[in-house]
C-alpha cells in the first residue's frame, strides 16, 4: 500500500483535534468521516471506591457483578454498572459456617458505601464483633457465577459461599496440607483449581465440590495457576522457577524451567 492510501484508510477514525487530521484533511477532503469522531479520552470507565485495601478481586461470568475481599475481613459484592454495594459478609462468619448481620446493620453498610462518605459501624451496632484482618490469597466465581470460592494464606481450607446471598454452601473444603496460595476457575466455570504451599494443585468439581484430580510435581509453593480457554489444560507457576503445563483430564504434564520465581501467569490464546 502507498503511504497516502494508509493515511486515507485511517482518516475516518482520526480525532479532529489531532495533528494527523490537521495535516491531512485538506489533502483528502472527500474522505468519509464520522459525524462524531473519536476523542482523546481515558480508557477508565468508572472508579468505584471499595472502602478498604483490596486483597483479591473477581468478576462474575455474566459481567454484571464483581466481588472484593478486603483487609478488614469483609467479602463484598458490587454492581459493575452502578457501582453500588449489593451484599457484604464477614469472611470469619463464612469460615465458621454462617452469614449474619445485626438488625439494621446492612442498611447502614449500603448507605455508607453508596453515599458520598463511608461510615463504620460501632462495636455495639456490629453485634460486638471486633474487626479482624483476614489475609485472602485468591477469590473466584465458579459454577456459572453462582458460587464464590476463596482461599487464605494461613489456612489449608477452601471456603465456598453462594454469590447471591454470601451464605456458606457447606463446610470448608479440606484437602491441602499448606496454605492456599491461588485459585483459578475454568472459562466454563464447571471446574476450578487450587494451588498451595504444599506444592500441589487440586482440580475441583464446582457443583459437587469434590476433588477430581491432584497434580503433583513442583518442588516449590504454587504461586499462580490458569486454565486454557477450552479448559483442557492448566498452566502452573511455582517458586521453584518452573512452569507446568498439565492435561486436566489425564494429569500428564510438561515442565518448562524459567530459572526465576514465578509470581503470575496468564493465557493469551
Amino acid at each position: 500500500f502507498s503511504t497516502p492510501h494508509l493515511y486515507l484508510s485511517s482518516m475516518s477514525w482520526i480525532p479532529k483535534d489531532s495533528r494527523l487530521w490537521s495535516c491531512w484533511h485538506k489533502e483528502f477532503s472527500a474522505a468519509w468521516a464520522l459525524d462524531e469522531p473519536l476523542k482523546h479520552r481515558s480508557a477508565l470507565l468508572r472508579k468505584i471506591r471499595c472502602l478498604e485495601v483490596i486483597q483479591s478481586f473477581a468478576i462474575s461470568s455474566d459481567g454484571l457483578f464483581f466481588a472484593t475481599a478486603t483487609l478488614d475481613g469483609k467479602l463484598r459484592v458490587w454492581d459493575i454498572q452502578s457501582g453500588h454495594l449489593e451484599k457484604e459478609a464477614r469472611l470469619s462468619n463464612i469460615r465458621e459456617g454462617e452469614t449474619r448481620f445485626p438488625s439494621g446493620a446492612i442498611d447502614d453498610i449500603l448507605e455508607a458505601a453508596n453515599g458520598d462518605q463511608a461510615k463504620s459501624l460501632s462495636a455495639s451496632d456490629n453485634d460486638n464483633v471486633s474487626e479482624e484482618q483476614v489475609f485472602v490469597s485468591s477469590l473466584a466465581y465458579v459454577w456459572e457465577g453462582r458460587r464464590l470460592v476463596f482461599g487464605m494464606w494461613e489456612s489449608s481450607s477452601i471456603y465456598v459461599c453462594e454469590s447471591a446471598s454470601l451464605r456458606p454452601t457447606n463446610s470448608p473444603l479440606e484437602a491441602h496440607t499448606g496454605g492456599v496460595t491461588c485459585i483459578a476457575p475454568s472459562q466454563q466455570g464447571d471446574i476450578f483449581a487450587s494451588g498451595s504451599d504444599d506444592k500441589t494443585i487440586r482440580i475441583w468439581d464446582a457443583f459437587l465440590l469434590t476433588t477430581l484430580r491432584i497434580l503433583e510435581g513442583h518442588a516449590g509453593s504454587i504461586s499462580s495457576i490458569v486454565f486454557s480457554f477450552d479448559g483442557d489444560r492448566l498452566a502452573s507457576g511455582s517458586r521453584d522457577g518452573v512452569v507446568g503445563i498439565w492435561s486436566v483430564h489425564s494429569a500428564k504434564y510438561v515442565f518448562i524451567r524459567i530459572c526465576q520465581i514465578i509470581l503470575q501467569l496468564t493465557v493469551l490464546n
Side-chain angles (χ1 to χ4, degrees), residues 60-194:
S60 63
S61 55
D62 57 14
L64 299 179
F65 301 96
F66 70 91
T68 58
T70 49
L71 194 59
D72 62 350
K74 302 288 183 62
L75 177 62
R76 297 180 173 97
V77 174
W78 307 78
D79 183 288
I80 287 181
Q81 186 65 30
S82 67
H84 286 179
L85 175 63
E86 297 292 319
K87 305 171 191 70
E88 176 178 289
R90 297 182 187 283
L91 291 165
S92 58
N93 290 347
I94 297 174
R95 293 177 66 179
E96 296 164 4
E98 61 175 335
T99 303
R100 59 190 176 92
F101 288 100
S103 177
I106 187 63
D107 294 330
D108 289 341
I109 293 169
L110 295 178
E111 180 184 347
N114 297 332
D116 293 331
Q117 59 181 2
K119 58 183 179 180
S120 60
L121 300 177
S122 67
S124 59
D125 289 336
N126 214 15
D127 208 22
N128 295 321
V129 178
S130 61
E131 297 293 338
E132 63 171 328
Q133 289 188 337
V134 178
F135 299 100
V136 174
S137 59
S138 194
L139 173 69
Y141 278 93
V142 299
W143 192 37
E144 300 178 344
R146 301 180 191 180
R147 288 173 175 166
L148 279 163
V149 297
F150 63 91
M152 299 182 180
W153 297 105
E154 74 277 12
S155 173
S156 60
S157 302
I158 296 171
Y159 304 93
V160 187
C161 64
E162 301 294 338
S163 59
S165 64
L166 298 187
R167 296 187 180 278
T169 300
N170 63 349
S171 300
L173 307 181
E174 307 291 349
H176 291 290
T177 58
V180 176
T181 56
C182 48
I183 294 175
S186 67
Q187 295 292 322
Q188 297 74 22
D190 56 336
I191 58 176
F192 67 94
S194 60

